[in-house]
């Protein structure tokens, strides 16, 4: 039996004969070439691309982030802080403000400030009392400023501690890295790394003097007693004797108590440099054995503010050793991590202290900050 496909092929060949002639084959080739050739673009074919591109560019322009007016996100313990908010550090613990560019502002214990501006081009803090330490990372087009009374501290890329006392009108500026410009009514002073500047507001000093002069003199409302002459006893003669007065010499314990009170007063007023010097005169080893937990914490704070890592570490270790159940002992672990990282530049030791703080206070006020710092240390490795 013949295959049907073969029969079909023979029938087609018989009908076609010898196929088309040379002229017809040439026409067929030309037709195939014309149909398979890529179409030539026409000049007016893409006219609609121009308005489409313009529409896309307009949409991108309108949807761009508002970099000028949009405020920065500032957080304290992962909670957003609004512009104008009053910030007050606890009595024995620092308050840390985090900014999106890894910059930080740390209010020392009992310090107070207000966030007055937080924009991509400028950040401003008004320091009302105590010490404020700034770690500012340079961002193109962004300026930072701290105002305290009539003074303004301007910076863009620096680590600086500003301490302000509204009672005495004294501003102390200590630069740890970079440089700052301090401006008042008399002009601008540049302060560079390793330098310390102290300025006094003359109006504040005159106000204190005026208040003192306005106080009425101390008076005793009771009338002075009338002296009564004593009658001499019979057969006895009385020879009046002048009164004997003796100035009591201050005891050693009294002097030491006065000096101890002095350094505490200076520390609470924010003059950490003078306070630390006064404490050193008393003997830091003795103070580590005798001070209360709160005063040890204050001594450590003054050492940290002045950049004295060794003295700050010794005070915090004494606090943890003598008062292990006090909440400040747990906070001391975090602060020891900060000292190791910021002052000693020892990341492994810093990580050990941050981990120890998290093991002792996993839900503490500084737990989020400790975890963030540990993540930063991991990325550096």
């Amino acid at each position: 039996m013949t295959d049907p496909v073969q029969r079909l092929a023979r029938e087609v060949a018989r009908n076609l004969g010898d196929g088309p002639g040379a002229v017809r084959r040439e026409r067929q080739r030309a037709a195939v070439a014309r149909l398979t050739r890529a179409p030539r673009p026409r000049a007016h074919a893409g006219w609609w691309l121009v308005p489409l591109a313009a529409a896309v560019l307009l949409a991108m322009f309108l949807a761009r982030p508002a970099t000028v007016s949009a405020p920065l996100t500032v957080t304290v313990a992962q909670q957003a802080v609004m512009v104008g908010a009053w910030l007050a550090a606890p009595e024995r613990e620092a308050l840390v403000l985090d900014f999106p560019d890894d910059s930080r502002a740390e209010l020392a214990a009992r310090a107070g400030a207000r966030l007055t501006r937080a924009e991509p081009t400028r950040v401003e803090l008004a320091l009302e009392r105590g010490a404020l330490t700034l770690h500012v990372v340079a961002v193109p087009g962004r300026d930072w400023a701290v105002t305290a009374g009539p003074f303004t501290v301007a910076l863009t890329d620096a680590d600086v501690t500003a301490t302000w006392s509204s009672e005495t009108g004294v501003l102390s500026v200590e630069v740890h890295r970079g440089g700052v410009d301090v401006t008042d009514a008399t002009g601008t002073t540049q302060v560079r790394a390793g330098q310390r500047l102290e300025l006094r507001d003359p109006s504040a000093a005159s106000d204190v003097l005026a208040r003192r002069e306005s106080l009425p003199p101390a008076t005793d409302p009771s009338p002075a007693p009338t002296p009564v002459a004593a009658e001499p006893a019979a057969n006895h003669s009385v020879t009046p004797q002048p009164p004997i007065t003796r100035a009591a010499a201050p005891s050693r314990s009294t002097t030491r108590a006065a000096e101890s009170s002095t350094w505490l007063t200076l520390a609470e007023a924010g003059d950490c440099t003078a306070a630390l010097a006064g404490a050193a005169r008393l003997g830091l080893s003795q103070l580590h054995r005798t001070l209360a937990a709160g005063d040890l914490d204050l001594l450590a704070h003054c050492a940290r503010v002045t950049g004295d890592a060794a003295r700050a570490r010794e005070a915090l270790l004494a606090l943890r050793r003598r008062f292990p159940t006090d909440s400040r002992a747990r906070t001391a672990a975090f602060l020891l991590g900060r000292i190791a990282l910021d002052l000693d530049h020892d990341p492994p030791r810093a990580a050990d202290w941050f981990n120890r703080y998290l093991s002792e206070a996993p839900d503490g006020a500084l737990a989020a900050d400790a975890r963030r710092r540990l993540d930063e240390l991991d990325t550096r490795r």
Side-chain angles (χ1 to χ4, degrees), residues 57 118 147-148 182 217 227 373:
L57 291 175
T147 60
V182 183
R373 294 177 189 278

Side-chain angles (χ1 to χ4, degrees), residues 198-237:
E198 187 171 291
L199 298 173
R200 185 180 298 274
D201 179 12
S203 62
S206 61
D207 289 344
V208 173
L209 182 61
R211 287 197 299 271
R212 289 177 179 174
E213 291 179 345
S214 66
L215 293 175
T219 58
D220 188 355
S222 60
T226 303
V228 178
E231 296 182 357
N235 301 324
H236 288 277
S237 63

Side-chain angles (χ1 to χ4, degrees), residues 252-271:
R252 183 180 181 87
S253 60
T254 302
T255 303
R256 187 174 183 83
E259 291 179 351
S260 178
S261 175
T262 299
W263 86 261
L264 284 170
T265 302
L266 291 169
E268 290 174 348
D271 192 351

